[in-house]
Amino acid sequence: MRIYKAKNETDMSRKAANIISAQIILKPDSVLGLATGSSPVGTYRQLIDWYNKGDLDFSQITAVNLDEYQGLGPDNEQSYAWFMRENLFKHVNIDPTNCYIEDGLAEDPGAECLRYTELIRGLGGIDLQLLGIGPNAHIGFNEPGEALEKDTHLVKLKETTIRANARFFTNEDEVPKYAFTMGIKAIMQARCIVLVANGENKAEALQKCICGTISPEAPASFLQLHNNVFIVADEAALSLVEKTIPIEQSIIL
Ligand code: GLP
């Protein structure tokens, strides 16, 4: 695990975008696993900026997203399909037919989960997976619990997650109660993982992720077992980690 301490959100976004752009330059036909939420927005903005300057080419990139709310279609402004279009895809030269996400409106959720698992397998897995982290240490929508599900599945969202994500909706009741998410297997089989986190409300989750017991009660803790993970986080998010592991600028654990 390599941990990079960023000065602030902008610095975090630039550092993460640098790692992703290196991936795109080194392997122009990469399969990128992408994430939603507020944490990666600055990273996407930076990638768009470099694309506009002619430094990046997305024409051969394939994108597979982590998760999608059940019941929301791509035309719903709260859907993650919409988020990806607005925050990245429509601004770069990625081929929209190479952008994949679970179908929130799928009539047969079981079949949709199988389809998505097979799709990722068919693509040969993920070259680089970008992740945020939930305040309860979830990754994607792999929520804390007694066990983790390996493959794409439908998950009942925890109250804490519904509360945390309510800021994107007009009120808490509007937040869907279920979501599709990529399972832990596709995430852990990604050849490189970049997790971005900023702000004090992520401090506890990052502590569990980096220094905690590896347990399904903290899904992000499994990243400790991956051999190519970059955690890019600001000082506030690293504040609890730094109580046990002081970090100058970066550290390899
Ligand atoms: C949602 C997403 C996660 C994301 C998390 C954190 O629950 N499913 O993929 O990491 O939110 O979001 P934010 O970055 O807005 O704190």
Side-chain angles (χ1 to χ4, degrees):
M1 209 174 234
R2 291 157 205 245
I3 303 168
Y4 290 94
K5 183 161 80 175
K7 291 192 266 297
N8 48 41
E9 202 240 336
T10 311
D11 188 29
M12 173 194 84
S13 302
R14 287 177 68 90
K15 282 180 163 61
N18 263 303
I19 300 169
I20 298 169
S21 62
Q23 172 72 41
I24 296 172
I25 291 165
L26 290 169
K27 189 173 182 232
D29 60 348
S30 289
V31 176
L32 300 182
L34 297 178
T36 53
S38 51
S39 311
V41 169
T43 302
Y44 294 144
R45 212 177 294 133
Q46 182 62 74
L47 290 173
I48 294 165
D49 189 39
W50 287 332
Y51 164 75
N52 285 331
K53 288 181 173 143
D55 292 344
L56 286 178
D57 175 15
F58 288 80
S59 62
Q60 296 177 66
I61 293 291
T62 298
V64 278
N65 255 82
L66 279 170
D67 42 20
E68 179 60 285
Y69 287 115
Q70 189 189 32
L72 303 191
D75 296 331
N76 187 309
E77 292 185 25
Q78 313 293 352
S79 73
Y80 285 165
W82 180 286
F83 174 101
M84 287 312 301
R85 233 174 23 241
E86 291 302 310
N87 286 287
L88 181 65
F89 298 152
K90 77 175 193 189
H91 305 286
V92 297
N93 65 336
I94 195 163
D95 180 347
T97 63
N98 289 336
C99 299
Y100 300 101
I101 189 160
E102 296 95 332
D103 177 4
L105 298 177
E107 278 179 25
D108 181 345
E112 177 57 10
C113 292
L114 272 179
R115 179 192 75 84
Y116 207 65
T117 298
E118 282 308 314
L119 175 99
I120 297 167
R121 207 197 316 266
L123 291 169
I126 295 164
D127 288 305
L128 182 150
Q129 177 65 56
L130 177 62
L131 294 175
I133 187 169
N136 65 3
H138 74 221
I139 43 178
F141 270 133
N142 290 279
E143 293 279 42
E146 280 176 16
L148 289 174
E149 286 211 38
K150 208 169 60 176
D151 293 321
T152 308
H153 57 286
L154 190 65
V155 64
K156 186 173 187 336
L157 301 176
K158 297 269 180 199
E159 273 307 315
T160 48
T161 298
I162 290 173
R163 225 170 299 132
N165 290 357
R167 66 204 145 102
F168 298 111
F169 295 79
T170 37
N171 62 61
E172 212 171 296
D173 294 340
E174 274 189 22
V175 186
K177 307 289 175 281
Y178 287 85
F180 291 98
T181 184
M182 210 185 264
I184 198 74
K185 183 176 170 188
I187 296 173
M188 288 298 285
Q189 287 186 343
R191 290 174 272 284
C192 174
I193 296 177
V194 180
L195 185 147
V196 285
N198 64 297
E200 211 184 317
N201 72 325
K202 297 296 171 71
E204 212 174 299
L206 265 198
Q207 186 187 36
K208 289 179 182 167
C209 167
I210 296 170
C211 341
T213 308
I214 297 166
S215 154
E217 294 295 343
S221 64
F222 280 84
L223 300 181
Q224 292 173 43
L225 300 176
H226 193 283
N227 64 6
N228 197 19
V229 177
F230 298 86
I231 309 268
V232 188
D234 73 351
E235 290 171 12
L238 284 170
S239 57
L240 290 178
V241 171
E242 287 215 83
K243 289 199 167 153
T244 41
I245 312 166
I247 305 168
E248 194 92 3
Q249 282 180 327
S250 68
I251 193 168
I252 300 180
L253 292 179

